[in-house]
Amino acid sequence: GNSVTQMEGPVTLSEEAFLTINCTYTATGYPSLFWYVQYPGEGLQLLLKATKADDKGSNKGFEATYRKETTSFHLEKGSVQVSDSAVYFCALKLSADSNYQLIWGAGTKLIIKP
Amino acid sequence: DSGVTQTPKHLITATGQRVTLRCSPRSGDLSVYWYQQSLDQGLQFLIQYYNGEERAKGNILERFSAQQFPDLHSELNLSSLELGDSALYFCASSVGPGQNYGYTFGSGTRLTVV
């Protein structure tokens, strides 16, 4: 079936470190891919998205490239800040699903230490 | 402010009771989704409505029900509450059918059952 797999957390990094959070997917057809972020005590916010292969989504210094050949959408940031501490969710949406539901990964908790 | 309004923000109630959570979607959005997020767990999809009609059901207990009204706001009713129902309940909305649209989330209702 269709699914999203994220690396397990928590991921703990020092400030200014390079970040990668892995996300791979299994899907029929050509999904759109999303990263959401949930800061402590808040709801989820759309961070970035990519709607077709080789697209790169970017926002707030974060980037992710839609890699069809490896079915991946890894989230990267060159220099993390303490304020990036949050839970990050990878998700996909299928055109074949008439309800256009998002299929979610389990989330990866990121902790940035000063 | 995401544009999705959830009330109340916090709710404390006793086991066996019934509560109603309310969600007003972002202006122009026709789809409403309800999610449950327990501590250290990912998002559990409960139910989806589109323009007043139920479109999809996830892991929603029989004790739970929901509806979307003509003005597009939605209510999630939780009855015969148990301690295990304590969680964050999120509402999200989207413009409707469309693979490339993400969801906009509300800030959630934190339910504590004592």
Side-chain angles (χ1 to χ4, degrees):
Chain A
N2 303 303
S3 65
V4 175
T5 302
Q6 291 182 233
M7 63 191 294
E8 278 195 35
V11 173
T12 304
L13 295 172
S14 298
E15 209 166 16
E16 298 183 5
F18 185 87
L19 167 71
T20 300
I21 299 179
N22 290 338
C23 170
T24 57
Y25 67 90
T26 302
T28 51
Y30 302 95
S32 293
L33 301 172
F34 302 82
W35 275 102
Y36 279 79
V37 59
Q38 184 180 25
Y39 297 105
E42 299 184 14
L44 281 76
Q45 302 173 28
L46 177 63
L47 181 59
L48 53 85
K49 68 177 183 182
T51 58
K52 61 183 188 297
D54 299 325
D55 266 3
K56 178 186 284 189
S58 61
N59 186 22
K60 299 182 181 180
F62 291 89
E63 292 183 341
T65 302
Y66 187 165
R67 300 282 188 206
K68 191 171 184 299
E69 63 277 11
T70 54
T71 62
S72 64
F73 193 54
H74 304 322
L75 183 68
E76 296 182 336
K77 186 175 185 183
S79 176
V80 292
Q81 306 299 313
V82 172
S83 57
D84 294 326
S85 298
V87 180
Y88 292 82
F89 292 91
C90 184
L92 68 83
K93 210 181 215 192
L94 293 164
S95 61
D97 175 2
S98 62
N99 293 326
Y100 294 96
Q101 286 194 36
L102 277 169
I103 297 171
W104 297 89
T108 302
K109 186 172 185 177
L110 175 64
I111 300 170
I112 306 300
K113 295 189 172 181
Chain B
D1 181 7
S2 68
V4 177
T5 304
Q6 287 189 250
T7 56
K9 291 193 182 305
H10 301 278
L11 199 48
I12 302 175
T13 190
T15 54
Q17 294 299 304
R18 172 189 169 96
V19 297
T20 298
L21 313 184
R22 181 187 170 101
C23 169
S24 294
R26 196 178 57 161
S27 177
D29 286 358
L30 299 177
S31 279
V32 170
Y33 307 80
W34 285 98
Y35 285 88
Q36 180 192 60
Q37 186 179 41
S38 302
L39 192 64
D40 292 333
Q41 288 191 14
L43 295 167
Q44 300 294 321
F45 168 66
L46 296 178
I47 198 164
Q48 175 197 2
Y49 284 85
Y50 174 71
N51 204 19
E53 291 188 6
E54 181 185 304
R55 291 295 292 265
K57 266 188 174 179
N59 300 322
I60 188 166
L61 300 172
E62 285 192 13
R63 301 183 284 109
F64 295 0
S65 65
Q67 59 184 124
Q68 186 179 30
F69 294 87
D71 67 352
L72 301 178
H73 91 272
S74 178
E75 293 181 356
L76 178 68
N77 300 298
L78 315 176
S79 61
S80 303
L81 285 167
E82 302 174 359
L83 295 177
D85 297 327
S86 296
L88 268 170
Y89 291 85
F90 287 107
C91 166
S93 70
S94 70
V95 68
Q99 182 180 353
N100 298 334
Y101 296 105
Y103 296 175
T104 302
F105 280 80
S107 56
T109 294
R110 182 174 294 280
L111 174 66
T112 303
V113 182
V114 297

CSV table of all heavy atoms in Angstrom, one decimal, chain B residues 6 10 27 43 45 65 80 87 91 94 104 107:
chain,number,residue,atom,x,y,z
B,6,GLN,N,-10.1,26.6,16.0
B,6,GLN,CA,-10.6,25.5,16.8
B,6,GLN,C,-10.9,26.0,18.2
B,6,GLN,O,-10.1,26.8,18.8
B,6,GLN,CB,-9.5,24.4,17.0
B,6,GLN,CG,-9.4,23.6,15.7
B,6,GLN,CD,-8.5,22.4,15.9
B,6,GLN,OE1,-7.4,22.3,15.4
B,6,GLN,NE2,-9.0,21.4,16.6
B,10,HIS,N,-8.5,24.3,25.3
B,10,HIS,CA,-8.3,23.3,26.4
B,10,HIS,C,-9.6,22.8,26.9
B,10,HIS,O,-10.6,23.6,27.0
B,10,HIS,CB,-7.4,23.9,27.5
B,10,HIS,CG,-6.1,24.4,27.1
B,10,HIS,ND1,-5.0,23.6,26.9
B,10,HIS,CD2,-5.7,25.6,26.8
B,10,HIS,CE1,-4.0,24.3,26.6
B,10,HIS,NE2,-4.4,25.6,26.5
B,27,SER,N,-11.3,30.4,5.3
B,27,SER,CA,-12.3,30.9,4.3
B,27,SER,C,-12.0,30.3,2.9
B,27,SER,O,-10.9,30.4,2.4
B,27,SER,CB,-12.2,32.4,4.3
B,27,SER,OG,-13.1,33.0,3.3
B,43,LEU,N,0.1,11.4,14.0
B,43,LEU,CA,-1.3,11.8,13.7
B,43,LEU,C,-2.1,10.6,13.3
B,43,LEU,O,-1.8,9.9,12.4
B,43,LEU,CB,-1.3,12.8,12.5
B,43,LEU,CG,-0.6,14.1,12.8
B,43,LEU,CD1,-0.3,14.9,11.5
B,43,LEU,CD2,-1.4,15.0,13.8
B,45,PHE,N,-5.6,9.8,11.7
B,45,PHE,CA,-6.7,10.4,10.9
B,45,PHE,C,-8.0,9.8,11.4
B,45,PHE,O,-8.2,8.6,11.6
B,45,PHE,CB,-6.6,10.1,9.4
B,45,PHE,CG,-7.8,10.4,8.6
B,45,PHE,CD1,-8.2,11.7,8.4
B,45,PHE,CD2,-8.5,9.3,8.0
B,45,PHE,CE1,-9.3,11.9,7.7
B,45,PHE,CE2,-9.6,9.6,7.2
B,45,PHE,CZ,-10.0,10.9,7.1
B,65,SER,N,-18.2,10.9,16.8
B,65,SER,CA,-19.0,11.2,15.6
B,65,SER,C,-18.7,12.7,15.2
B,65,SER,O,-18.1,13.5,16.0
B,65,SER,CB,-20.5,11.1,15.8
B,65,SER,OG,-21.0,12.0,16.8
B,80,SER,N,-18.9,9.1,26.1
B,80,SER,CA,-18.4,8.0,27.0
B,80,SER,C,-16.9,8.1,27.1
B,80,SER,O,-16.2,7.1,26.9
B,80,SER,CB,-18.9,6.7,26.4
B,80,SER,OG,-20.3,6.6,26.3
B,87,ALA,N,-5.9,13.6,24.6
B,87,ALA,CA,-5.0,13.8,23.4
B,87,ALA,C,-5.2,15.2,22.9
B,87,ALA,O,-6.1,16.0,23.4
B,87,ALA,CB,-5.4,12.8,22.3
B,91,CYS,N,-7.9,19.9,13.8
B,91,CYS,CA,-8.8,20.1,12.6
B,91,CYS,C,-7.9,20.7,11.5
B,91,CYS,O,-7.0,21.5,11.8
B,91,CYS,CB,-9.9,21.0,12.9
B,91,CYS,SG,-10.8,21.6,11.5
B,94,SER,N,-8.7,22.2,3.7
B,94,SER,CA,-8.1,22.4,2.4
B,94,SER,C,-9.1,22.9,1.4
B,94,SER,O,-10.4,22.7,1.7
B,94,SER,CB,-7.4,21.1,1.9
B,94,SER,OG,-8.4,20.1,1.5
B,104,THR,N,-4.3,23.2,5.9
B,104,THR,CA,-4.0,24.2,6.9
B,104,THR,C,-4.6,23.7,8.2
B,104,THR,O,-5.8,23.4,8.3
B,104,THR,CB,-4.7,25.5,6.5
B,104,THR,OG1,-4.2,25.9,5.2
B,104,THR,CG2,-4.4,26.6,7.5
B,107,SER,N,-4.9,25.2,15.7
B,107,SER,CA,-3.9,25.0,16.8
B,107,SER,C,-4.3,23.9,17.7
B,107,SER,O,-3.5,23.6,18.6
B,107,SER,CB,-3.7,26.4,17.5
B,107,SER,OG,-5.0,26.8,18.0
